[in-house]
Amino acid sequence: EPEVVKVSILNEESIILGFHLTKFMLRDILSNIPSSTYVVITDKNIAPIYLSKIITDFEKVASKLNLINTTKLRLITYIISPGEQSKSRDTKAEIEDFLLGKACGRDTCILAMGGGVIGDLAGFVAATFMRGVPFVQIPTTLLAMVDSSIGGKTAVDTPHGKNLIGSFWQPKRIYIDLMFLETLPEREFNNGMAEVIKTAAISSELDFINLENGVSSIREAVFSSPKRNVQYQGAILATRTPSQSLLLSVIMTSAKFKADVVTHDERESGLRGLLNFGHTIGHAIEAILSPELLHGECVSIGMIKEAEIARHLGHLNQVSVSRLYKVLQDYDLPVSLDEKKVKDLVGKKFCAVDKLMEIMKVDKKNQGDQKKIVILSSLGSTYEKKATIVSDSVIRKILSP
Ligand code: ADP
Ligand code: ZN
């Protein structure tokens, strides 16, 4: 039995964290979400690394549980192209046609194994297939582990914008298996760290200090794992190293804060808006600089700008802004649109202040005409228990060069 940590959300202990959880997960799913068809939806990058293990473990676990001959049990898989373009109505329809072609009925359970794209898309398929079938989140990116897999938001993009068509549909389980991080590209890991830093900044000074002090240990836990070496033997470490324990606790803390917020505010009326720290400006930057910059990278720059707004309004001191700046840099995240790394990535694109203001005007989270920003009062706490209305002139002033 692997050692696991459980976190509750919406009054159920449905978030499970640990290392190498595949068999444990399949035992739990086969026993507690009984279905005749299990469908793994994943992408072309993840499938060659992880799918065969899921398939062989599924056979083993099913036979141990004596499910092989007694039921018409099956595991089928659907693999999509990686990337945000796949989070579309077209891909949703393709998956649905595939399921219908395989005669999947209401006793189907969907396993979304991937990053945010897979989770949002497969979750939305689950939400509407046969008026809703159970699904399980198996996040494989850090961003999905601490953010998108938790909270039940599912959606696809349209040419008019991201996540415009979707629904709230809670997964039955969220399996956060840190094994997946062994193959995650470094830039994708840093991308997820932006949300981890965000959560600490709005919720806990102690967690923030742990991130400041843990830079080398956390990076070692991910980037010196055996799978990153050529001679990987598939060996499972019997005991966790101290750095792996730290990594697990950092991810668990972040996931738990999101789970608690969702438990108190499932449909985003106020409290859940706190999770948008860095996102009002970050999303506007992302609207211009995506796909060259990743979500977390835009949020990183957005957090600095929004912290500067808090400082400008007299709610946050300069030392706190500097510490935020430093910790983001330590995790290799961009802190300004003007830095070379950003310029090299985005080429000729740039973010004019007018354009950013224009984009922020149509934010779903605005109150009428007024823009809302999460204002920090210190590292670990916010000025209000929700986002604060900030005038256009203040935002414009901070964004201006
Ligand atoms: P997110 O929205 O969570 O940042 P995406 O779904 O866009 O993530 O995935 C980011 C990229 O990382 C995709 O190209 C995906 O195929 C790849 N990827 C996801 N998880 C892993 C993993 N564990 N190992 C290697 N590549 C991965
Ligand atoms: Zn985010």
Side-chain angles (χ1 to χ4, degrees):
E1 285 287 290
E3 211 185 301
V4 300
V5 180
K6 294 186 181 177
V7 168
S8 40
I9 177 165
L10 298 163
N11 309 309
E12 309 241 20
E13 275 196 332
S14 50
I15 305 178
I16 295 128
L17 300 98
F19 290 87
H20 299 283
L21 303 177
T22 309
K23 277 196 181 138
F24 179 91
M25 170 181 82
L26 290 166
R27 260 196 307 274
D28 177 27
I29 292 172
L30 283 164
S31 313
N32 299 311
I33 314 171
S35 312
S36 61
T37 306
Y38 295 86
V39 188
V40 179
I41 300 178
T42 191
D43 77 28
K44 287 197 179 89
N45 291 332
I46 300 159
I49 320 178
Y50 297 106
L51 206 47
S52 65
K53 168 125 179 91
I54 298 268
I55 294 167
T56 54
D57 283 356
F58 183 87
E59 296 300 324
K60 285 184 199 164
V61 171
S63 87
K64 268 238 174 80
L65 293 172
N66 286 318
L67 290 169
I68 292 293
N69 297 316
T70 50
T71 56
K72 43 186 175 52
L73 178 71
R74 62 183 172 161
L75 178 76
I76 58 177
T77 60
Y78 194 82
I79 301 169
I80 67 164
S81 301
E84 192 76 26
Q85 330 75 260
S86 288
K87 230 180 96 172
S88 65
R89 293 162 173 160
D90 284 353
T91 315
K92 179 172 184 268
E94 280 164 26
I95 297 171
E96 290 160 349
D97 291 343
F98 167 80
L99 297 177
L100 296 169
K102 292 278 183 190
C104 295
R106 301 197 64 181
D107 55 351
T108 298
C109 174
I110 290 179
L111 313 180
M113 182 167 75
V117 169
I118 293 286
D120 286 9
L121 172 69
F124 190 31
V125 170
T128 63
F129 189 72
M130 302 285 151
R131 297 204 180 86
V133 294
F135 92 112
V136 173
Q137 288 277 18
I138 311 171
T140 64
T141 66
L142 179 58
L143 185 70
M145 290 176 186
V146 298
D147 192 16
S148 55
S149 72
I150 301 169
K153 280 188 185 175
T154 72
V156 294
D157 302 334
T158 81
H160 288 273
K162 285 186 173 187
N163 299 322
L164 295 182
I165 309 287
S167 84
F168 284 95
W169 190 247
Q170 293 295 340
K172 292 278 180 234
R173 295 279 191 284
I174 301 162
Y175 267 97
I176 301 180
D177 188 341
L178 273 55
M179 156 198 79
F180 287 109
L181 299 178
E182 291 178 5
T183 61
L184 189 67
E186 186 164 351
R187 190 174 167 202
E188 295 289 342
F189 180 78
N190 300 338
N191 185 43
M193 280 308 298
E195 302 282 0
V196 172
I197 293 166
K198 173 205 75 180
T199 300
I202 59 171
S203 68
S204 158
E205 180 173 25
L206 190 64
D207 294 345
F208 194 89
I209 293 170
N210 280 336
L211 294 175
E212 290 178 313
N213 296 336
V215 181
S216 57
S217 183
I218 288 169
R219 300 187 69 81
E220 180 204 283
V222 181
F223 299 114
S224 351
S225 74
K227 238 186 203 168
R228 291 194 187 261
N229 296 332
V230 251
Q231 354 48 328
Y232 175 63
Q233 301 291 312
I236 295 172
L237 297 173
T239 52
R240 287 177 201 153
T241 63
S243 67
Q244 284 180 318
S245 299
L246 175 67
L247 178 71
L248 182 66
S249 91
V250 159
I251 294 176
M252 191 272 281
T253 306
S254 214
K256 184 175 186 314
F257 183 79
K258 173 134 194 205
D260 289 344
V261 168
V262 169
T263 301
H264 291 105
D265 180 15
E266 189 180 359
R267 298 293 166 108
E268 193 155 351
S269 44
L271 187 64
R272 194 160 171 175
L274 280 188
L275 296 166
N276 284 315
F277 172 53
H279 283 64
T280 304
I281 294 173
H283 275 146
I285 295 171
E286 191 177 5
I288 302 171
L289 300 185
S290 167
E292 287 82 5
L293 280 202
L294 304 177
H295 175 73
E297 294 168 342
C298 298
V299 168
S300 179
I301 299 168
M303 283 193 278
I304 292 297
K305 289 292 176 203
E306 295 183 12
E308 282 173 354
I309 289 172
R311 185 199 52 179
H312 178 86
L313 295 172
H315 299 303
L316 186 68
N317 63 33
Q318 178 57 45
V319 174
S320 301
V321 180
S322 303
R323 281 172 66 194
L324 182 63
Y325 195 97
K326 167 97 170 34
V327 84
L328 292 168
Q329 277 190 324
D330 283 349
Y331 286 94
D332 256 331
L333 285 158
V335 286
S336 157
L337 287 167
D338 300 318
E339 66 191 67
K340 183 171 185 306
K341 214 167 49 180
V342 173
K343 297 260 187 218
D344 288 348
L345 285 166
V346 306
K348 285 202 211 49
K349 284 187 176 179
F350 71 100
C351 293
V353 179
D354 285 333
K355 184 87 186 285
L356 291 171
M357 296 300 291
E358 193 68 24
I359 296 165
M360 279 186 266
K361 221 181 199 164
V362 296
D363 195 316
K364 292 201 271 301
K365 283 142 196 154
N366 285 353
Q367 197 158 310
D369 258 3
Q370 312 191 84
K371 302 184 176 63
K372 292 171 85 181
I373 286 180
V374 175
I375 299 297
L376 293 185
S377 52
S378 67
L379 291 169
S381 43
T382 53
Y383 172 60
E384 294 188 88
K385 286 273 155 273
K386 55 181 169 54
T388 299
I389 294 170
V390 179
S391 75
D392 278 19
S393 64
V394 168
I395 301 175
R396 190 176 277 280
K397 184 174 174 121
I398 297 300
L399 289 178
S400 298

